[in-house]
Amino acid sequence: MPAEGMRIGQGFDVHPWSDDPARPLVLGGVTFDGERGLVGHSDADVIAHACTDALLGATGIGDIGSFFPDTDAAYAGADSVELLRLAACRVVEAGWQPVNLDCTVICDRPKLAPHRDEMCALLGAAVGAPVMIKGKTTEGLVSLSEGIQCHAIALVVAR
């Protein structure tokens, strides 16, 4: 396959911890009961957001903010996995097919492993391609433990 037939995109997102005890923590489309939520205009799902930016970046058609701005009331409290699904549709409409996404989530809590398969399945269904999630701790760096961040890489091929 020629090099112009495939592209790689990188996405990143970070959200700080919320002080609102009613705010749920949503990661990869899964709600983590009993965990402190994240601040954000939508559901603040850092994994879905990083995946969305990685896909859109690979195709060069924009970024999450250009399609789903946090200034638009329509996206207040939005389901970020649904936004990812809509972005994946735009990627396909632009002539690209997602091949896979690889995500690294940086957080000390919650533990992701018990929910990894469910998160990967939900995100993969939205994208139409396999999604891998890896969890890493902050190793005690306080500035990194003030929220959760995610880095994602997407591979797309021309349709």
Side-chain angles (χ1 to χ4, degrees):
M1 176 178 298
E4 56 274 356
M6 69 176 79
R7 292 187 182 173
I8 297 171
Q10 188 269 334
F12 170 78
D13 197 43
V14 61
H15 287 272
W17 295 112
S18 173
D19 291 328
D20 179 355
R23 178 88 176 173
L25 176 62
V26 179
L27 297 172
V30 174
T31 299
F32 285 73
D33 292 328
E35 293 289 342
R36 187 176 177 189
L38 298 169
V39 174
H41 183 67
S42 65
D43 61 9
D45 185 336
V46 296
I47 302 174
H49 293 177
C51 287
T52 301
D53 261 348
L55 277 177
L56 294 171
T59 61
I61 61 173
D63 62 17
I64 193 170
S66 61
F67 286 102
F68 314 109
D70 63 4
T71 56
D72 188 335
Y75 302 115
D79 176 342
S80 295
V81 174
E82 176 60 15
L83 300 181
L84 174 61
R85 187 191 69 73
L86 293 171
C89 288
R90 298 257 178 116
V91 165
V92 171
E93 290 167 2
W96 297 94
Q97 180 63 48
V99 174
N100 75 302
L101 284 100
D102 183 51
C103 306
T104 302
V105 183
I106 303 167
C107 62
D108 290 327
R109 65 178 209 280
K111 295 295 183 192
L112 302 180
H115 304 282
R116 183 185 336 268
D117 290 345
E118 183 181 5
M119 291 187 294
C120 291
L122 289 168
L123 295 169
V127 170
V131 175
M132 176 60 187
I133 297 172
K134 304 174 304 289
K136 302 295 178 191
T137 67
T138 67
E139 299 293 336
L141 293 174
V142 175
S143 64
L144 293 179
S145 64
E146 294 177 0
I148 297 178
Q149 60 180 296
C150 181
H151 301 260
I153 298 174
L155 175 64
V156 298
V157 293
R159 295 175 26 104

